Every structure is written in structure tokens, then in C-alpha cells.
């Protein structure tokens, strides 16, 4: 019987973005707004984490945005400061958290009182078969995406751990942010894998149908407007997935 990691209550500076992050991945961020330059600068000086949360309402600039209640903790592992004060950072995502309360105090950015959260069924009997199904579907999905952009696919070494696999699928797969947010908020690995099984099946079917359409088809144009569209190879999750798959 596995022992669940203890819940921790901490204060965490919050960085609302139009992006959903997952544990065990790294992300590149461009820091240009004054309040977040201050926040990241303090996190670097104190070697302290910050929390990335998807924006529920508002924007990344201007007045503080209203965030979703569950986000992912991150820690700066590399930073490059530009002459005008802007920064490029590489952040490593660690664990998920749930916001219990927020406050601004005298700071220009939100501080959250948060509790860490984790999946409660990572060692549940019977989860491995579902994990293998999702792994095969994901490899099929990635192969179809690579074909769409006419790019060779490296040998894939997906995580064997079901929880880590579910995070990999959620981070890399092309789906709306709200769908990713729902996956992030789940505290059941089985539930997350089951939902990813459903989503990947739909996306694979869409991509397979695209292969059957002529290049000048009106249906192809409609396909590209759908929620699940061919991957943009410039997007960070795809680039990082390809890089990690080579290692």
C-alpha cells in the first residue's frame, strides 16, 4: 500500500497565464511586465517557487486576472536578463496546488495561500492496462501529428509510471486550455487516463480522417478550424517533447 505525500500549506506568488502546466516538465517564459519581473527576481534571489495558474477571467497584462483554483508550482532553473529588464527564464514544474485564498497586500502581484495536491490512486490495481492503452494511443497520435507537419519522429520513450504518463499526455496533446485544466484538477490517475483515452481516440480519428481528404477539400479547411487541429511545431510542448524523446 502506497503512502500519499503529505499535504502542505504554503504561501505562493501567483503567475496567471493563458497556459496550463503539468509536473515533471520544463517551460520557457518571457517576463516583461514590471510586477512579474519583480516577482521572478525575488523568486530567483530566494530560490523560491512560484505558481502558474490558468486565467479564468482577465488578461496577462493590466489589472490582476482571476485565476482558476488549481495550478502547478514551478521553480526557475535558468534565467537570462535583457538590457531593458525583461527576462527569459526556464522553469521546472514540480507539483500541483489548490488555491485556498488570495491576497495582494503591498505587493503588485497576487499571493496565494495554497495546499499541495496529488493523485490518490497511483498504485491502484488494474491501472497499468489502462496506462498501456493510453500510451499506444498517444504514440499513434504523435505519429499522425508528425506526418501532418512532414517531420520525422524520434524514437519515443514514454513514462511507464501511469501518473507521469497522464501528465505527459495532458501537457503535449493539442487540446483547449479548459480541457487541460480539467485534467490538471483531477486527483485520480485512473480518471485522468480514462479522459485522455476518450480525447486521444477522438483526436486520432480526426487526424485519420484528414489523411483521407484531398488538399483542396472544403472539409480540410473546416478540419483545421476544429478544436483538435494539426500541431503547431513552434509550440513549446511539442518542441520539448521532441527534445526529451531524443535523450
Amino acid at each position: 500500500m502506497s503512502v500519499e505525500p503529505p499535504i502542505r500549506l504554503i504561501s505562493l506568488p501567483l503567475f496567471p497565464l493563458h497556459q496550463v502546466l503539468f509536473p515533471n516538465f520544463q517551460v520557457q517564459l518571457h517576463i516583461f511586465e514590471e510586477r512579474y519581473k519583480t516577482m521572478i527576481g525575488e523568486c530567483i534571489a530566494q530560490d523560491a517557487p512560484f505558481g502558474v495558474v490558468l486565467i479564468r477571467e482577465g488578461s496577462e497584462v493590466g489589472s490582476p486576472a482571476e485565476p482558476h483554483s488549481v495550478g502547478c508550482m514551478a521553480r526557475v532553473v535558468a534565467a537570462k536578463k535583457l538590457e531593458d529588464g525583461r527576462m527569459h527564464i526556464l522553469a521546472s514544474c514540480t507539483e500541483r496546488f489548490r488555491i485556498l485564498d488570495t491576497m495582494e497586500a503591498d505587493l503588485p502581484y497576487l499571493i496565494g495561500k495554497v495546499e499541495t495536491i496529488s493523485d490518490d490512486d497511483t498504485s491502484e490495481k488494474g491501472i497499468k492496462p489502462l496506462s498501456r492503452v493510453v500510451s499506444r494511443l498517444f504514440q499513434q497520435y504523435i505519429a499522425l501529428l508528425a506526418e501532418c507537419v512532414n517531420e520525422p519522429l524520434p524514437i519515443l520513450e514514454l513514462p511507464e509510471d501511469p501518473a507521469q504518463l497522464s501528465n505527459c499526455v495532458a501537457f503535449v496533446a493539442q487540446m483547449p486550455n479548459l480541457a487541460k485544466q480539467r485534467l490538471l484538477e483531477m486527483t485520480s490517475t485512473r480518471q485522468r487516463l480514462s479522459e485522455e483515452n476518450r480525447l486521444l481516440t477522438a483526436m486520432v480519428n480526426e487526424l485519420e480522417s484528414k489523411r483521407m481528404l484531398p488538399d483542396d477539400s472544403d472539409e480540410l479547411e473546416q478540419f483545421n478550424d476544429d478544436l483538435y487541429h494539426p500541431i503547431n511545431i513552434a509550440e513549446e510542448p511539442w518542441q520539448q517533447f521532441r527534445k526529451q524523446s531524443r535523450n
Side-chain angles (χ1 to χ4, degrees):
M1 181 176 178
S2 64
V3 178
E4 294 180 24
I7 295 175
R8 296 183 294 123
L9 297 177
I10 60 175
S11 293
L12 192 68
L14 300 178
F15 194 176
L17 292 174
H18 290 297
Q19 188 173 4
V20 183
L21 302 185
F22 289 84
N24 303 315
F25 273 91
Q26 293 183 335
V27 64
Q28 296 178 3
L29 297 173
H30 175 55
I31 313 300
F32 61 90
E33 203 175 354
E34 288 300 326
R35 56 182 167 176
Y36 296 124
K37 288 192 290 186
T38 299
M39 184 188 80
I40 295 299
E42 292 177 355
C43 287
I44 292 173
Q46 300 171 19
D47 190 24
F50 61 97
V52 175
V53 281
L54 178 66
I55 293 174
R56 182 192 299 273
E57 189 173 321
S59 64
E60 293 181 355
V61 297
S63 301
E66 178 187 345
H68 283 263
S69 60
V70 174
C72 190
M73 207 176 297
R75 189 179 293 271
V76 178
V77 295
K80 180 180 180 180
K81 192 170 184 179
L82 306 180
E83 291 183 1
D84 59 3
R86 292 179 295 123
M87 285 184 282
H88 294 303
I89 67 169
L90 178 66
S92 179
C93 305
T94 55
E95 56 189 320
R96 294 173 296 153
F97 62 86
R98 179 179 292 107
I99 300 173
L100 304 176
D101 195 12
T102 60
M103 54 186 172
E104 290 186 65
D106 296 327
L107 298 170
Y109 49 83
L110 289 176
I111 297 289
K113 179 182 178 183
V114 309
E115 63 177 0
T116 57
I117 58 176
S118 59
D119 286 357
D120 53 19
D121 63 349
T122 55
S123 62
E124 183 178 311
K125 185 178 180 180
I127 204 170
K128 282 286 189 179
L130 176 59
S131 179
R132 287 193 288 270
V133 169
V134 171
S135 181
R136 287 194 296 269
L137 262 176
F138 186 59
Q139 291 183 65
Q140 184 181 1
Y141 167 73
I142 290 295
L144 286 167
L145 290 177
E147 183 180 330
C148 282
V149 295
N150 196 28
E151 189 168 321
L153 185 70
I155 297 175
L156 304 180
E157 294 185 9
L158 298 177
E160 293 185 4
D161 177 77
Q164 291 184 17
L165 174 66
S166 71
N167 286 333
C168 177
V169 172
F171 182 69
V172 176
Q174 291 287 283
M175 63 182 78
N177 275 333
L178 287 180
K180 288 178 178 281
Q181 182 66 28
R182 286 194 294 271
L183 294 171
L184 183 74
E185 293 179 3
M186 293 176 180
T187 56
S188 163
T189 302
R190 176 182 290 278
Q191 183 184 13
R192 189 179 304 107
L193 287 170
S194 295
E195 177 65 6
E196 288 170 347
N197 183 20
R198 184 186 71 82
L199 291 169
L200 285 170
T201 298
M203 290 188 281
V204 165
N205 289 338
E206 288 278 10
L207 288 167
E208 287 281 10
S209 67
K210 176 185 178 295
R211 299 171 71 193
M212 307 300 293
L213 296 174
D215 291 342
D216 59 350
S217 169
D218 291 339
E219 292 183 49
L220 177 59
E221 183 177 349
Q222 178 61 45
F223 174 87
N224 289 329
D225 291 334
D226 289 342
L227 289 177
Y228 304 115
H229 51 80
I231 198 163
N232 178 353
I233 60 173
E235 290 186 1
E236 176 67 23
W238 170 248
Q239 294 292 354
Q240 184 175 155
F241 181 75
R242 292 180 67 250
K243 180 180 179 181
Q244 291 186 352
S245 295
R246 291 194 187 101
N247 298 331

